[in-house]
Amino acid sequence: MHCPSCKQKLDFPCGKVPFRATCPFCFVELHTCVHCSHHNPSLANQCKIKTSLFVRDRSAYNFCEDFCLKSQTKSPSSAGKKTFENLFGEEPSPEPLKKGKAAFDDLFID
């Protein structure tokens, strides 16, 4: 588990973030809406959990039971990159490109 602000490794017993948790490195409050993986500003209550209670200050401590620290979930960019690499491999080698160009050039030889 890592801090969403400073990206330092955090260690909490039982793997759950306490309600009043603060990052020991950057001193940011951790149990807040803005650091939760369910937080979505485009939704009506700004939360993916429809039964959650309204929280006025999204960057302050709260007592939400559904809290899940953002760094505990996979980021879409790393998941997308892994999927891309599984489909297409690492980087294309220049060898097939040279062969293809030579075959194309051979079409127009007099």
Side-chain angles (χ1 to χ4, degrees), residues 23-41:
C23 176
F25 303 101
C26 66
F27 305 107
V28 71
E29 298 172 352
L30 293 174
H31 203 285
T32 64
C33 290
V34 293
H35 292 131
C36 181
S37 63
H38 302 299
H39 181 251
N40 186 343

Side-chain angles (χ1 to χ4, degrees), residues 15-105:
K16 198 146 170 112
V17 179
F19 290 119
R20 297 279 183 201
T22 322
C23 176
F25 303 101
C26 66
F27 305 107
V28 71
E29 298 172 352
L30 293 174
H31 203 285
T32 64
C33 290
V34 293
H35 292 131
C36 181
S37 63
H38 302 299
H39 181 251
N40 186 343
S42 65
L43 297 175
N45 195 17
Q46 296 188 12
C47 185
K48 294 175 188 173
I49 308 294
K50 297 192 187 302
T51 58
S52 68
L53 298 174
F54 178 76
V55 176
R56 184 174 306 278
D57 187 359
R58 304 281 174 186
S59 59
Y61 293 121
N62 63 54
F63 296 102
C64 179
E65 294 288 335
D66 298 313
F67 178 82
C68 181
L69 194 63
K70 275 186 185 176
S71 64
Q72 292 174 327
T73 59
K74 279 189 175 179
S75 67
S77 60
S78 65
K81 184 176 180 183
K82 186 168 184 85
T83 304
F84 179 84
E85 288 174 353
N86 288 341
L87 287 172
F88 301 107
E90 291 292 321
E91 288 192 25
S93 70
E95 193 64 32
L97 297 176
K98 289 179 184 176
K99 289 180 185 176
K101 183 174 178 351
F104 179 78
D105 290 340

